[in-house]
């Protein structure tokens, strides 16, 4: 990637010299301050005793009889991955499709997350899939959550995916029946359905997590997680107007991408808001704006694919002539290479590349920190809101309202970094160090068990040929061809980033995955093969390719403040996804479909 900043001297936007040694030392101190010995174990899943945090507040559960029928394709997950797969299969002529989801409707992440202020921070024209197929142009450059959720419903309507769908249904077991060449699908509704093909797309941001704060269970006030917003308590809707909070002292825990979006609304409407921060986010300019109707009218068929490809190429480090999106993601593409796989700039030595990366990073972070000083009136508060780490250590955030909220007299920022987070909770207060903050309500903006699909966590046991356990056969790491399927598990396809591609625009990844799976299934049906399954050799070969091409970003991770990107400071190595990046991967898939697809269609039942 060639960017203008590559060639600049070692100075920041204000012309001040960048002292990389001093910056590294400062970042290391911040990391030390934040490292906790319990790492990822500090969190609790919203399950068991805390299961009520994960209950569906939006759709009443209706009783139904258990199902024992047979469908051709069963899709686990009604988010964008499942929806696009269902849509492409319909287009390929598959009539019998059953969509399933634990939620009460389609939408996945966008079903669950309805907190005030929710928006997608990827440009909607590239993020919302199948816009042309559904005949829709988003109303905003960065769409609000409700518009995105409705679009998910529109996809389901357009492709008739409500037919045979079951909601509030968790798939609890998948067992391959060798004789019938079908999957037997067990659920928490007592179903024993059958399906020839099963496709899992159960998402990465679905299971809410809570901080393991001592005494959390003793708090007697009102609490909920941002992904299960309690509008019955707060009043208002996703656009705000939380009138129920006018007489309440509210605490919000967490200042990640969710916290940054929700805090302006809580600040506006609560009697008093305490923001409990552990690590500040980097918060850049948002610059949202309504869609220009003239631009929308000028769009030619194929426009969305072109825009998606352009965005993906830029944020993956590919060289392209035009930046169609021109936003905070495309302008920081070089820095994203630290976290999300993609093409590496090989025109300079690795050492020089690293030096340039660090300087570009420092310039960006100096700009982000300078913005805090510009916006926040109180210098002490501004100091606490400055992020001291490299750009991709945490998910970058964008807002034109967040920092401004700390100028309100009813908003207090409570920094918990020196205590590793909140110290404890009592019946009516949050305690940090020795200071008690009495509150009526606590909103947990503390994120999700990221990246853990039911299959990977073991919550959805899968038994293939001869009862072989999928996680057991993955005990030394995932074994797949292209991330989709494994030998011993016929007619089972998984969507997700494992041994597949990854990108900040994850719906683009899902669109490619859905199209690939639909193409393979369509070809299998056309050829009349009973099973689709890769050989053990093909799986081994792909595992080797992923390992051998892996970019090791552990050195970068090791100097980052803890978070889910680096397993709370424990570190991660490259090779989770295909490191050469999504553009290369999609090309590879296209070639494979041309030349090698027959290899998964030859297996004996
Ligand atoms: P995150 O996991 O990113 O943030 C959790 C927050 O809770 C962090 O600020 C964390 O602090 C804080 N926290 C956790 N435990 C404690 C504790 N004991 N005391 C004090 N603070 C604590 O979750 P989010 O929901 O914000 O975001 C999750 C992901 O969802 C994002 O990374 C993004 O991928 C996606 N997202 C996308 C959006 C979009 O527009 N596309 C919008 C919102 C979310 P610390 O950082 O110190 O661990």
């Amino acid at each position: 990637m060639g960017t203008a900043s590559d060639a600049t001297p070692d100075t920041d936007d204000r012309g001040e010299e960048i002292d990389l040694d001093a910056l590294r030392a400062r970042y290391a101190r911040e990391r030390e301050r934040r490292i906790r010995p319990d790492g990822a174990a500090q969190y609790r899943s919203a399950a068991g005793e805390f299961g009520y945090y994960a209950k569906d507040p939006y759709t009443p559960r209706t009783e139904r009889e258990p199902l024992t029928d047979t469908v051709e394709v069963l899709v686990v997950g009604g988010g964008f991955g499942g929806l696009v797969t269902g849509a492409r299969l319909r287009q390929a002529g598959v009539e019998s499709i059953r969509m399933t989801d634990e939620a009460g409707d389609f939408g996945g992440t966008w079903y669950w997350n309805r907190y005030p202020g929710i928006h997608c921070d990827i440009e909607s024209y590239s993020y919302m899939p199948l816009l042309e197929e559904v005949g829709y142009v988003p109303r905003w450059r960065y769409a609000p959550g409700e518009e995105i959720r409705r679009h998910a419903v529109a996809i389901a309507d357009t492709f008739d995916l409500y037919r045979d769908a079951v909601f509030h249904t968790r798939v609890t077991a998948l067992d391959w029946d060798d004789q019938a060449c079908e999957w037997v699908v067990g659920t928490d509704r007592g179903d024993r359905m059958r399906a020839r093909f099963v496709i899992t797309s159960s998402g990465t941001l679905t299971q809410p997590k809570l901080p393991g704060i001592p005494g959390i269970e003793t708090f007697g006030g009102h609490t909920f997680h941002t992904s299960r917003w309690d509008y019955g308590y707060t009043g208002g809707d996703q656009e705000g107007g939380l009138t129920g909070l006018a007489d309440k002292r509210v605490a919000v825990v967490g200042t990640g991408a969710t916290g940054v979006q929700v805090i302006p609304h809580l600040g506006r409407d609560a009697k008093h808001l305490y923001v409990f921060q552990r690590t500040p986010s980097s918060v850049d300019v948002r610059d949202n704006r309504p869609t220009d109707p003239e631009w929308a009218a000028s769009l030619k068929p194929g426009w969305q694919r072109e825009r998606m490809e352009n965005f993906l190429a830029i944020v993956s480090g590919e060289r392209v002539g035009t930046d169609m999106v021109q936003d905070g993601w495309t302008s920081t593409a070089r820095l994203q290479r630290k976290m999300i796989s993609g093409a590496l700039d090989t025109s300079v030595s690795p050492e020089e590349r690293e030096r340039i990366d660090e300087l570009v990073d420092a310039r960006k972070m100096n700009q982000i920190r300078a913005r805090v000083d510009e916006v926040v009136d109180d210098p002490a508060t501004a100091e606490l809101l400055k992020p001291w780490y490299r750009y991709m250590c945490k998910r970058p955030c964008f807002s034109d309202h967040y920092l401004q909220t700390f100028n309100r007299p009813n908003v207090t920022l409570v920094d918990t970094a020196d205590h590793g987070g909140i110290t404890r909770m009592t019946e009516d207060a949050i305690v940090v160090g020795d200071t008690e903050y009495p509150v009526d309500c606590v909103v947990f903006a503390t994120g999700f068990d990221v990246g853990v699909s039911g299959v990977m966590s073991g919550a959805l046991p899968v038994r293939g040929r001869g009862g072989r356990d999928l996680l057991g056969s993955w005990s030394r790491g995932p074994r797949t061809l292209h991330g989709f399927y494994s030998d011993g598990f016929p007619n089972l396809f998984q969507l997700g980033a494992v041994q597949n591609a990854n990108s900040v625009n994850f719906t683009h990844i899902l669109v490619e995955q859905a199209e690939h799976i639909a193409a393979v299934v369509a070809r299998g049906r056309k050829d009349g093969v009973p099973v689709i399954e890769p050989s053990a050799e093909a799986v081994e070969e792909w595992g080797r390719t992923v390992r051998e091409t892996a970019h090791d970003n552990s050195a970068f991770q090791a100097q980052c403040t803890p978070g889910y990107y680096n397993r709370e400071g424990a570190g991660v190595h490259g090779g989770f996804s295909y490191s050469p990046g999504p553009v290369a991967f999609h090309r590879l898939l296209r070639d494979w479909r041309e030349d090698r697809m027959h290899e998964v269609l030859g297996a004996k039942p």
Side-chain angles (χ1 to χ4, degrees):
M1 256 297 291
T3 65
S5 37
D6 295 1
T8 55
D10 306 0
T11 52
D12 69 12
D13 282 1
R14 291 176 298 183
E16 287 175 21
E17 198 167 323
I18 295 170
D19 181 346
L20 283 181
D21 286 334
L23 209 49
R24 282 188 209 122
R26 176 76 200 253
Y27 288 179
R29 280 205 305 280
E30 288 299 316
R31 176 185 153 91
E32 276 315 302
R33 210 157 75 99
R34 274 282 291 102
I35 284 284
R36 283 175 54 134
D38 52 358
Q42 68 183 279
Y43 290 102
R44 296 176 180 187
S45 239
E49 142 186 42
F50 295 106
Y52 61 92
Y53 276 99
K55 284 246 151 45
D56 183 353
Y58 313 120
T59 313
R61 187 179 155 107
T62 49
E63 291 311 315
R64 64 169 175 79
E65 290 300 311
L67 290 163
T68 54
D69 57 348
T70 304
V71 293
E72 186 168 12
V73 180
L74 184 132
V75 180
V76 183
F80 281 134
L83 282 166
V84 180
T85 309
R88 293 300 186 212
L89 287 168
R90 273 277 193 264
Q91 289 178 317
V94 181
E95 278 301 312
S96 171
I97 301 173
R98 167 160 297 144
M99 310 288 297
T100 67
D101 204 292
E102 287 187 65
D105 200 347
F106 288 111
T109 297
W110 302 99
Y111 175 87
W112 292 114
N113 285 280
R114 304 189 190 195
Y115 55 81
I118 182 167
H119 278 71
C120 184
D121 62 12
I122 303 290
E123 203 203 48
S124 56
Y125 318 122
S126 301
Y127 178 84
M128 290 165 69
L130 306 186
L131 287 173
E132 290 188 69
E133 289 82 345
V134 172
Y136 187 67
V137 178
R139 291 184 301 118
W140 287 86
R141 185 178 187 203
Y142 301 97
E146 182 60 7
E147 187 178 3
I148 304 174
R149 191 189 68 77
R150 286 188 187 176
H151 181 62
V153 168
I155 293 174
D157 279 333
T158 305
F159 294 96
D160 194 17
L161 296 173
Y162 278 100
R163 185 184 1 141
D164 292 327
V166 285
F167 295 109
H168 284 153
T169 299
R170 185 160 55 86
V171 174
T172 51
L174 292 173
D175 287 278
W176 176 250
D177 179 338
D178 283 302
Q179 297 300 313
C181 267
E182 284 170 356
W183 286 97
V184 181
V185 183
T187 75
D188 64 350
R189 293 294 195 115
D191 305 307
R192 273 187 79 73
M193 311 176 272
R194 285 178 166 265
R196 185 170 165 212
F197 299 102
V198 170
I199 296 160
T200 67
S201 179
S202 48
T204 59
L205 294 175
T206 44
Q207 184 60 39
K209 75 182 193 286
L210 298 169
I213 301 172
I216 187 172
E217 67 289 344
T218 60
F219 182 69
H222 200 74
T223 65
F224 55 90
H225 188 273
T226 44
S227 66
R228 307 289 188 273
W229 195 269
D230 187 352
Y231 284 106
Y233 179 81
T234 65
D237 57 27
Q238 290 174 43
E239 295 192 2
L242 312 173
T243 50
L245 301 181
D247 58 351
K248 302 283 189 306
R249 297 159 303 176
V250 178
V252 59
V253 182
T255 54
T258 300
V260 165
Q261 292 186 337
V262 81
I263 283 165
H265 288 279
L266 291 174
R268 197 171 301 141
D269 294 334
K271 178 177 169 209
H272 199 95
L273 176 68
Y274 294 94
V275 177
F276 290 88
Q277 169 187 276
R278 192 165 62 179
T279 314
S281 280
S282 69
V283 187
D284 210 343
V285 173
R286 171 69 306 168
D287 190 24
N288 199 3
R289 48 178 181 260
T291 300
D292 173 2
E294 264 180 51
W295 173 78
S298 74
L299 295 169
K300 303 276 180 298
W303 71 267
Q304 190 184 22
R305 176 68 66 162
E306 190 191 357
R307 201 171 181 92
M308 285 169 71
E309 299 281 2
N310 180 263
F311 182 78
L312 190 77
I314 292 174
V315 296
S316 307
E318 306 283 334
R319 289 180 185 275
V320 294
T322 321
D323 176 355
M324 297 174 83
V325 173
Q326 296 189 32
D327 74 353
W329 292 107
T330 58
S331 66
T332 58
R334 176 169 199 121
L335 305 177
Q336 292 164 48
R337 300 282 51 72
K338 292 289 169 207
M339 262 309 296
I340 298 185
S341 310
L344 290 177
D345 175 7
T346 49
S347 63
V348 291
S349 69
E351 295 73 29
E352 181 58 7
R353 185 171 65 220
E354 186 51 42
R355 196 187 75 86
I356 297 172
D357 283 354
E358 224 177 325
L359 282 171
V360 176
D361 200 304
R363 292 188 63 186
K364 182 76 220 172
M365 291 307 285
N366 279 358
Q367 198 186 83
I368 299 258
R369 289 185 284 263
R371 182 169 185 244
V372 180
D373 281 330
E374 276 158 30
V375 175
V376 179
D377 298 337
D378 173 43
T381 305
E383 219 40 54
L384 293 174
L385 286 165
K386 288 180 190 167
W388 292 100
Y389 46 79
R390 284 180 66 174
Y391 189 65
M392 281 309 285
C393 285
K394 292 228 170 244
R395 168 89 180 195
C397 298
F398 305 89
S399 172
D400 298 333
H401 308 287
Y402 175 72
L403 295 170
Q404 291 78 352
T405 301
F406 295 93
N407 293 334
R408 303 183 67 97
N410 67 325
V411 175
T412 306
L413 177 66
V414 183
D415 189 56
T416 69
D418 283 329
H419 306 274
I422 288 166
T423 308
R424 62 194 163 88
M425 285 171 77
T426 67
E427 204 183 353
D428 58 3
I430 288 188
V431 184
V432 178
D434 296 328
T435 312
E436 272 198 30
Y437 299 88
V439 289
D440 303 300
C441 168
V442 179
V443 179
F444 289 107
T446 45
F448 306 88
D449 288 333
V450 178
V452 187
S453 71
V455 173
M456 291 286 279
S457 72
L460 170 47
V462 179
R463 287 169 290 261
R465 287 183 189 277
R468 184 164 147 198
D469 171 55
L470 184 130
L471 272 194
S473 85
W474 286 16
S475 58
R476 289 191 295 140
R479 294 186 70 260
T480 72
L481 174 58
H482 302 150
F484 295 117
Y485 23 42
S486 299
D487 55 306
F489 302 87
N491 293 359
L492 176 68
F493 301 82
Q494 295 190 53
L495 281 83
V498 178
Q499 296 197 338
N500 199 290
N502 203 356
S503 169
V504 289
N505 187 12
F506 197 61
T507 57
H508 187 159
I509 301 299
L510 294 172
V511 165
E512 297 283 345
Q513 296 184 346
E515 289 178 359
H516 186 78
I517 291 170
V520 176
V521 169
R523 173 80 177 273
R525 290 172 89 237
K526 183 163 152 275
D527 291 2
V529 300
V531 297
I532 298 174
E533 181 183 4
S535 66
E537 293 72 36
V539 166
E540 293 299 329
E541 183 191 321
W542 183 244
R544 236 183 348 265
T545 303
V546 172
R547 277 192 303 280
E548 284 168 6
T549 55
H551 303 163
D552 180 2
N553 56 8
S554 54
F556 174 78
Q557 296 281 2
Q559 37 97 61
C560 282
T561 44
Y564 74 84
Y565 275 10
N566 64 358
R567 289 198 299 131
E568 299 299 329
V572 280
H573 294 267
F576 174 78
S577 301
Y578 178 64
S579 285
V583 175
F585 182 68
H586 296 158
R587 199 180 308 124
L588 181 148
L589 284 187
R590 272 196 302 278
D591 292 346
W592 181 91
R593 289 200 292 270
E594 287 281 310
D595 305 330
R596 296 185 62 180
M597 201 200 281
H598 60 273
E599 291 175 15
V600 295
L601 304 174
K604 299 274 176 293

